[in-house]
Amino acid sequence: MSIEIDNADKVFFPGAGYTKADLADYYQRIAPHMLPHIENRPLTLHRFPDGIDSVNFIQKSVAEHYPDWIERATMDKEDGQITHALAPDADTLTWLVDQGTVAFHVWLSRVDKPYCPDRLIFDLDPPGDDFPVVIKAARAVRERLEQLGLEPFVMTTGSSGLHVTVPLDRRTDFESVRGFAERIAEQLVAAYPDEFTTAHRKDERRGRLYLDIRRNAYAQTGIAPYSLRAKPGAPIATPLDWHELGDAKIGPQRFHLGNIFRRLAQRECPWRDIERQRQSLAKAERKLGAE
């Protein structure tokens, strides 16, 4: 299918000069790397119809004008139901870019088993631009998870922090997953009380990094791997190898539209096998409970 881009020359990233056509081209090219991480997950779209310096809004439900070929999933919510778009192919990504979508956020579960996540996420949110404390937190989370027999993965968010992610086997519901993540976060705060916090309110963090586990809940979302972010320079949420945290140049916006394909030409995606690494929380929960 050929997707026609309206106003293709409209500049979406003024500082870098990237246009809507550039975004559409990016998502077409990145699709083989991105789609395995978002297929069969309800989408939440961050739309900027006139570029990142203009009006923006979050869209969850499918609009009436969406063409019939856009795949959909109707999901339960507190007061009824909501129909989300799905993105099984590059053409869908491109069409949504034509609607002004810059960033794609996805559920931590898939539509066939929505109450049992296949991702556990620790979102490491620094109080400012202090990235060394984010790296310290990521390593601390990794060490604790590995002590419990789990293998985590790490990704830049393209914004200010990192995500540490554990792929799950979908045998545990959100309530249990969140409870497990909460206990890990509390233990790390107890170990590093001057550097980390679980306080949701910013005025209670007192300059400490926020260990955010709230995404681990039904219908909550995380930024999709390889999604653009609406920040100057068009940064990209990018999967990393753990050893890359030792690179002096690493940062939350290290990879962007100008260098991502050079990176992928030089190395395979560090998350290429993440779907084969789905893990059970049961043994880790038992080990945690026995401590």
Side-chain angles (χ1 to χ4, degrees):
M1 183 184 303
S2 178
I3 307 298
E4 183 177 345
I5 303 298
D6 293 329
N7 301 312
D9 294 334
K10 180 180 289 184
V11 175
F12 265 52
F13 288 83
Y18 295 127
T19 65
K20 187 196 277 193
D22 293 325
L23 271 62
D25 178 68
Y26 167 72
Y27 280 112
Q28 279 280 338
R29 294 176 63 192
I30 204 65
H33 299 283
M34 184 177 180
L35 290 173
H37 304 297
I38 69 173
E39 60 186 359
N40 295 320
R41 298 184 191 275
L43 296 176
T44 294
L45 310 173
H46 198 177
R47 292 178 56 191
F48 297 76
D50 294 307
I52 67 167
D53 289 344
S54 240
V55 173
N56 69 91
F57 55 93
I58 297 294
Q59 180 177 345
K60 295 183 179 182
S61 59
V62 170
E64 291 184 1
H65 70 277
Y66 276 37
D68 292 342
W69 60 267
I70 296 288
E71 292 192 14
R72 298 157 165 80
T74 299
M75 313 303 294
D76 293 332
K77 63 175 185 174
E78 285 187 5
D79 57 350
Q81 293 184 316
I82 183 171
T83 300
H84 291 260
L86 303 177
D89 52 43
D91 285 341
T92 301
L93 293 176
T94 305
W95 190 86
L96 293 171
V97 168
D98 187 46
Q99 303 301 299
T101 302
V102 172
F104 293 83
H105 299 257
V106 291
W107 284 29
L108 278 62
S109 60
R110 301 188 191 248
V111 296
D112 61 325
K113 206 169 184 181
Y115 292 96
C116 293
D118 63 354
R119 295 286 186 271
L120 181 161
I121 291 179
F122 291 86
D123 182 5
L124 310 180
D125 183 13
D129 57 2
D130 179 12
F131 199 66
V133 73
V134 182
I135 293 174
K136 181 174 183 176
R139 287 171 170 163
V141 172
R142 179 193 188 190
E143 180 180 16
R144 188 69 187 102
L145 292 173
E146 288 182 340
Q147 289 170 351
L148 297 171
L150 298 171
E151 180 183 353
F153 292 72
V154 66
M155 179 182 81
T156 69
T157 63
S159 182
S160 61
L162 293 169
H163 281 178
V164 175
T165 299
V166 180
L168 301 176
D169 62 4
R170 307 204 298 175
R171 295 180 180 179
T172 307
D173 63 22
F174 270 113
E175 183 177 359
S176 297
V177 170
R178 184 175 177 134
F180 176 85
E182 192 168 36
R183 290 184 64 186
I184 298 300
E186 290 170 350
Q187 289 181 346
L188 292 173
V189 169
Y192 302 93
D194 295 330
E195 296 172 274
F196 307 155
T197 181
T198 55
H200 173 55
R201 287 173 56 94
K202 288 187 177 181
D203 60 0
E204 295 177 356
R205 297 179 194 172
R206 299 192 300 276
R208 294 170 293 175
L209 177 140
Y210 177 34
L211 292 171
D212 185 1
I213 56 86
R214 295 180 309 124
R215 299 181 187 280
N216 299 289
Y218 176 80
Q220 295 300 306
T221 64
I223 190 66
Y226 294 110
S227 175
L228 286 160
R229 303 305 299 268
K231 304 284 185 181
I236 292 166
T238 306
L240 302 176
D241 282 312
W242 278 103
H243 70 80
E244 291 185 274
L245 295 186
D247 185 343
K249 296 181 180 179
I250 201 64
Q253 301 180 22
R254 171 71 178 87
F255 301 105
H256 48 77
L257 196 52
N259 65 12
I260 189 66
F261 290 111
R262 182 165 65 251
R263 170 180 171 79
L264 291 172
Q266 294 170 346
R267 65 189 308 148
E268 291 186 292
C269 172
W271 285 25
R272 63 191 177 279
D273 294 325
I274 194 170
E275 288 302 311
R276 301 177 189 173
Q277 303 297 324
R278 292 185 181 182
Q279 299 158 68
S280 170
L281 273 191
K283 186 176 181 180
E285 286 180 308
R286 289 195 297 271
K287 195 169 184 178
L288 182 61
E291 292 181 346

